[in-house]
Amino acid sequence: SQTIHQWPATLVQPVGSPLSLECTVEGTSNPNLYWYRQAAGRGLQLLFYSVGIGQISSEVPQNLSASRPQDRQFILSSKKLLLSDSGFYLCAWRGVISDPPLHFGNGTRLTVT
Amino acid sequence: DAKTTQPPSMDCAEGRAANLPCNHSTISGNEYVYWYRQIHSQGPQYIIHGLKNNETNEMASLIITEDRKSSTLILPHATLRDTAVYYCIVRPHNDYKLSFGAGTTVTVRA
């Protein structure tokens, strides 16, 4: 069966520090991968998605970037965190023919201080 | 994606049915209705989806009106563990992006 792993579960980082969040999927090949962010009390905002290795599409221009160095690995990064980067970051995957459409990880709670 | 409108919150008594409405008056013919829920501090969990027929699974039932402009998610016997934010989303089946709005915060009370 397919599983998705996200780490760390919680993270507290100072303003101006770098960020690296990792997501890996097991049990499937060539998944579509997604990064979402949820600010406190808000809905989910799609940040990036990837349909293949090295293919990244950005939905919202901001202080973050994403990379997909391997088929089942998706990384969210920042060179210098801002206070506004605080939030709940969720990774999700979808198979080529997948029903339901998205499977989510358990997220990373990021607090920028 | 077609826009959806959901009430911001609703309460439900434990053991009773919870009926969650969703309006999607601009839905297109190839768009499905999906429901997810998000328990506090967890990732969203898929519940059910449908195109035009009513659907039922072990978690819930989905009732879609004949004109497909609205739908209702039914949790037949709500438990305290059903307390969550419920999202209604419409999108083409082969679309690979989902947009989540604010959803409905459902609180099940003992």
Side-chain angles (χ1 to χ4, degrees):
Chain A
S1 64
Q2 302 92 350
T3 56
I4 180 169
H5 302 280
Q6 255 189 273
W7 66 92
T10 60
L11 189 61
V12 180
Q13 292 284 99
V15 169
S17 65
L19 172 73
S20 181
L21 302 180
E22 188 164 342
C23 170
T24 60
V25 180
E26 297 178 355
T28 188
S29 298
N30 195 30
N32 291 337
L33 296 171
Y34 307 79
W35 278 111
Y36 282 84
R37 179 173 64 195
Q38 186 174 36
R42 307 288 295 275
L44 275 71
Q45 178 187 39
L46 178 62
L47 302 176
F48 301 94
Y49 67 92
S50 171
V51 299
I53 296 174
Q55 301 179 59
I56 308 296
S57 296
S58 174
E59 289 294 296
V60 182
Q62 55 203 315
N63 186 42
L64 301 169
S65 62
S67 62
R68 185 170 176 174
Q70 300 181 42
D71 181 44
R72 291 169 290 172
Q73 183 184 31
F74 206 22
I75 298 172
L76 183 70
S77 305
S78 174
K79 292 182 179 178
K80 291 185 179 181
L81 283 169
L82 306 172
L83 287 175
S84 58
D85 292 324
S86 294
F88 190 42
Y89 288 83
L90 289 154
C91 180
W93 73 273
R94 176 184 183 274
V96 175
I97 301 175
S98 179
D99 198 2
L102 285 184
H103 307 265
F104 285 87
N106 281 327
T108 294
R109 178 79 55 190
L110 172 66
T111 303
V112 182
T113 60
Chain B
D1 294 346
K3 178 178 173 58
T4 63
T5 303
Q6 299 178 253
S9 64
M10 63 183 296
D11 285 359
C12 176
E14 187 180 21
R16 305 293 296 271
N19 297 303
L20 284 64
C22 180
N23 288 322
H24 32 79
S25 59
T26 61
I27 191 170
S28 301
N30 67 337
E31 288 183 316
Y32 284 67
V33 180
Y34 288 84
W35 283 84
Y36 280 75
R37 74 178 183 184
Q38 186 177 21
I39 296 171
H40 183 64
S41 295
Q42 297 182 22
Q45 175 191 23
Y46 165 81
I47 301 173
I48 199 167
H49 75 283
L51 181 62
K52 52 185 177 181
N53 297 324
N54 298 337
E55 303 288 343
T56 296
N57 62 21
E58 66 278 5
M59 292 182 67
S61 294
L62 175 61
I63 308 299
I64 302 174
T65 58
E66 190 169 347
D67 63 7
R68 302 209 322 124
K69 293 184 177 182
S70 65
S71 60
T72 301
L73 179 74
I74 301 173
L75 307 177
H77 304 286
T79 70
L80 298 178
R81 289 174 295 180
D82 292 322
T83 293
V85 179
Y86 287 76
Y87 299 99
C88 170
I89 302 157
V90 295
R91 71 162 189 79
H93 191 57
N94 60 352
D95 189 359
Y96 46 76
K97 295 184 289 181
L98 286 184
S99 297
F100 288 71
T104 297
T105 298
V106 174
T107 303
V108 180
R109 303 191 185 278

